[in-house]
Amino acid sequence: MVQFRWLQSVQRIRWDRLKDSLRVPQGQLFTEGTSTQWINQDLAPTPPEERKWNLWTFAAFWTAHASDATAWTAGSATVALGLTWWQAWLALNVAHIIGTILIVANGRMASRYHVGFPVCARVSWGMWGSYVAVSMRAVICIIWNGVNTFYAGRLVDVCLQCIWPSWALVANTLPESAGITTRELTGFLIAWFIYLKWFYIAKSVIVLTAMHGILAWWMRKNGGVHFPSQDSNRLSGATRGWLWMQAFNSGFGAISSLTVNQADIARYASSPSDQLWGQIFVFPLASALPGLFGVLVASASQEMYGAPLWNLWDVTQKMLDQYPQNSGARFGIFLAAGSMALALIGVNLATNCLPFGSDVSALFPKYMNIQRGQFLCCLLGLAIAPWKILRNGTTFLAFLAGYGYWLAPVAAILFVDYFCIQHGNIVTAELYNGKAGGLPQGWNIRAPIVTVLALVPCLPGFAWSISDTVDISLDAARLSTLSFILTYAIAALMYWASYRIWPKTPTTQINQHFEFLANAVDEEEVSIELVDIEKPLSDKLSIRESV
């Protein structure tokens, strides 16, 4: 009996030591009323000395972000629907312009209070309720991470053929049920390894140069930008209109994650105006070019071969097939495919790994930080079989539409809550204490209820788009082509109406001028000489009392 108790004590000590070794360094930022359950260094407000993103930083970031294969594919895949090149491009750009406004709006709170998405979600969802919003985004990040990595892997496969032509003859040893070949899996793993080990160096100038080179090749082969076969593609007005809405909805899907991810970047803004003007014009313009190149090349390939090549690995593969013995041309194609692969890897870091790391840091703040979360995101991205999402253009568009549909309620609730309910006034310290009487008490039950109800109208169409066994009416199918904008509007209206019907009970008497508290905090920080990061953040605790 004594020996058994001794073994139990030893095991308990070992387990405690293991847990202690796995803990992340905790930020000692709020000295009272806080718990490591709600805060670590990655979740704490960004200190003033780390707010270095100015207007030009945001402009450069979004230019680089927009210049990637996803924007290209979002454009080229719409050509497979039967739209002309200009109709497809118009749909994407209208969606991107509207989407950019939504993105910038949801970056406002982060740029004023310098907190990331998981902490922003605590305001509208509640301390515990925020776990729902965070988990929803984390799942999407895993899937999108796998898709981008597989896409990069297919481009790596083209690069390997450029170096070793015999690579194209490698036999497939995997069963057909796997949905992937030996070559494709090898490229996927190589891209995953590079992504995990290195960097975000997909410079916008390199990628845009590669895109121009690919476009120039196809335009020269096709004899220009006129595609006469599309003139004879006569669709009825109603059919063409619904196809246009499908392309429009897919355009939202391509950037929908940014409507919630923006907070994780905007928290580093030097001032709120930097994240506004550094993005509001730059992103729509920067994303317009890759989308245009995608629709032009897809249209040219349709004219030349009878079917549009909607993804870049097929585009570069077709180019490579024209030069079996020309080493110079193969090297050029290697550079083009490699640049696009690196662009995907770089975008993955900013839009999937960083948000996922932030999310799991909020879910498990004692044991996870952003760096560990990024590693975990890569591992989970291997397990989702992303090659099945990229089977064809229709499947990819369905994925984009579902991506936006899933995140639309979260983005809408964040927007309405900050601008219409809180009036921009957030007591930051209350987002870390988890005590009754704080701003978001436990669960704000309105948020999950509104999310579920907003998702219901387009749910049959979403199920139909991802499964061949679901049968729905034509009207339900058409409704799904409006999934992002409709779900966003329903969620925004219902959340706002819930507060009109059942007004919130204020816990403190706060001046209701818009962002009064944010201005007060800024004035406090300006008046204090910043000796360390602890001083200005602890001062925020005094704001509630002073108000």
Side-chain angles (χ1 to χ4, degrees):
M1 186 68 177
V2 173
Q3 185 178 10
F4 176 73
R5 289 179 177 176
W6 180 80
L7 287 174
Q8 279 188 320
S9 299
V10 171
Q11 290 176 347
R12 188 179 302 110
I13 292 172
R14 288 178 176 177
W15 175 243
D16 290 340
R17 287 180 177 176
L18 176 61
K19 290 196 297 182
D20 289 340
S21 67
L22 293 175
R23 289 178 184 270
V24 299
Q26 300 301 312
Q28 305 300 319
L29 302 178
F30 293 101
T31 57
E32 299 179 5
T34 61
S35 167
T36 52
Q37 180 178 358
W38 304 111
I39 189 171
N40 63 22
Q41 289 180 345
D42 290 331
L43 293 173
T46 305
E49 60 269 22
E50 295 182 14
R51 304 170 198 165
K52 299 179 179 179
W53 283 47
N54 57 30
L55 183 151
W56 300 109
T57 309
F58 278 100
F61 174 82
W62 287 112
T63 300
H65 175 82
S67 304
D68 79 312
T70 303
W72 179 296
T73 307
S76 58
T78 57
V79 176
L81 297 175
L83 296 174
T84 62
W85 71 267
W86 66 268
Q87 292 167 340
W89 188 52
L90 180 64
L92 291 176
N93 280 282
V94 172
H96 285 182
I97 291 171
I98 298 173
T100 301
I101 297 172
L102 303 180
I103 292 168
V104 171
N106 274 353
R108 179 72 185 186
M109 177 181 173
S111 66
R112 291 310 315 261
Y113 294 95
H114 315 291
V115 292
F117 166 75
V119 179
C120 290
R122 292 174 184 176
V123 180
S124 51
W125 290 72
M127 298 296 283
W128 292 105
S130 66
Y131 285 6
V132 176
V134 165
S135 298
M136 289 176 67
R137 187 179 73 157
V139 170
I140 290 296
C141 287
I142 293 171
I143 298 174
W144 201 221
N145 174 278
V147 169
N148 275 348
T149 305
F150 177 71
Y151 201 137
R154 292 300 303 269
L155 290 166
V156 168
D157 177 68
V158 175
C159 291
L160 293 176
Q161 294 178 66
C162 292
I163 302 172
W164 299 291
S166 59
W167 177 253
L169 304 177
V170 172
N172 178 35
T173 59
L174 298 176
E176 185 177 352
S177 59
I180 190 172
T181 66
T182 301
R183 278 174 42 200
E184 293 169 356
L185 182 60
T186 302
F188 177 51
L189 293 176
I190 291 174
W192 180 82
F193 177 78
I194 295 173
Y195 165 60
L196 200 61
K197 294 290 289 184
W198 289 10
F199 54 96
Y200 179 35
I201 61 167
K203 304 293 186 181
S204 56
V205 61
I206 297 175
V207 178
L208 282 174
T209 300
M211 287 182 173
H212 277 87
I214 294 171
L215 176 68
W217 189 92
W218 282 94
M219 293 301 97
R220 184 173 182 276
K221 283 288 183 180
N222 192 56
V225 295
H226 179 61
F227 312 114
S229 66
Q230 293 195 354
D231 295 338
S232 60
N233 184 15
R234 302 299 181 185
L235 299 174
S236 68
T239 301
R240 190 176 297 278
W242 285 111
L243 289 177
W244 192 90
M245 288 304 304
Q246 185 176 350
F248 175 70
N249 195 56
S250 299
F252 275 116
I255 63 171
S256 59
S257 65
L258 304 178
T259 60
V260 292
N261 292 354
Q262 176 71 359
D264 295 316
I265 299 170
R267 64 183 296 186
Y268 299 104
S270 300
S271 69
S273 61
D274 288 329
Q275 77 99 21
L276 170 62
W277 300 114
Q279 180 179 341
I280 194 71
F281 298 115
V282 173
F283 184 69
L285 292 174
S287 63
L289 274 182
L292 175 61
F293 291 0
V295 297
L296 290 177
V297 170
S299 297
S301 62
Q302 184 175 34
E303 178 67 21
M304 294 166 63
Y305 301 109
L309 300 178
W310 64 275
N311 60 68
L312 273 166
W313 69 74
D314 282 338
V315 168
T316 51
Q317 181 69 60
K318 183 66 71 173
M319 295 168 64
L320 182 61
D321 293 342
Q322 309 298 312
Y323 306 102
Q325 305 299 328
N326 189 327
S327 58
R330 300 177 74 88
F331 178 69
I333 297 169
F334 169 84
L335 292 178
S339 297
M340 299 309 303
L342 290 178
L344 283 161
I345 292 169
V347 167
N348 238 357
L349 287 172
T351 59
N352 296 310
C353 285
L354 173 62
F356 181 85
S358 182
D359 291 341
V360 295
S361 177
L363 294 172
F364 311 103
K366 292 182 181 180
Y367 302 102
M368 297 297 295
N369 56 19
I370 290 177
Q371 185 176 7
R372 294 180 182 183
Q374 289 175 325
F375 182 86
L376 180 61
C377 186
C378 295
L379 291 178
L380 295 175
L382 288 171
I384 63 164
W387 44 87
K388 295 187 177 181
I389 296 175
L390 291 170
R391 287 198 307 265
N392 53 57
T394 303
T395 304
F396 180 73
L397 290 179
F399 165 69
L400 286 181
Y403 187 37
Y405 160 73
W406 182 254
L407 292 177
V410 179
I413 289 171
L414 286 173
F415 173 81
V416 173
D417 189 81
Y418 183 72
F419 287 95
C420 302
I421 309 303
Q422 307 298 340
H423 302 291
N425 290 303
I426 309 298
V427 181
T428 311
E430 292 182 347
L431 301 178
Y432 297 96
N433 59 31
K435 293 181 178 179
L439 185 61
Q441 300 180 28
W443 284 79
N444 179 6
I445 197 63
R446 307 169 200 251
I449 291 177
V450 166
T451 297
V452 172
L453 293 178
L455 290 172
V456 167
C458 296
L459 185 60
F462 173 67
W464 169 75
S465 69
I466 62 175
S467 175
D468 297 331
T469 60
V470 176
D471 293 324
I472 60 174
S473 66
L474 177 61
D475 291 336
R478 287 177 168 175
L479 192 65
S480 67
T481 65
L482 306 171
S483 60
F484 178 85
I485 198 70
L486 180 62
T487 305
Y488 189 100
I490 292 174
L493 182 60
M494 291 181 64
Y495 189 78
W496 175 81
S498 72
Y499 278 95
R500 298 292 293 179
I501 299 172
W502 301 285
K504 69 173 183 175
T505 302
T507 58
T508 55
Q509 295 297 321
I510 295 178
N511 188 317
Q512 288 301 300
H513 291 303
F514 184 70
E515 293 184 341
F516 168 78
L517 286 183
N519 294 331
V521 170
D522 289 344
E523 291 174 3
E524 287 281 324
E525 290 182 348
V526 169
S527 65
I528 297 173
E529 181 179 358
L530 299 179
V531 178
D532 53 38
I533 66 171
E534 203 170 306
K535 181 77 172 181
L537 292 176
S538 61
D539 283 346
K540 293 183 180 181
L541 290 172
S542 67
I543 297 300
R544 181 180 177 185
E545 301 300 329
S546 65
V547 172

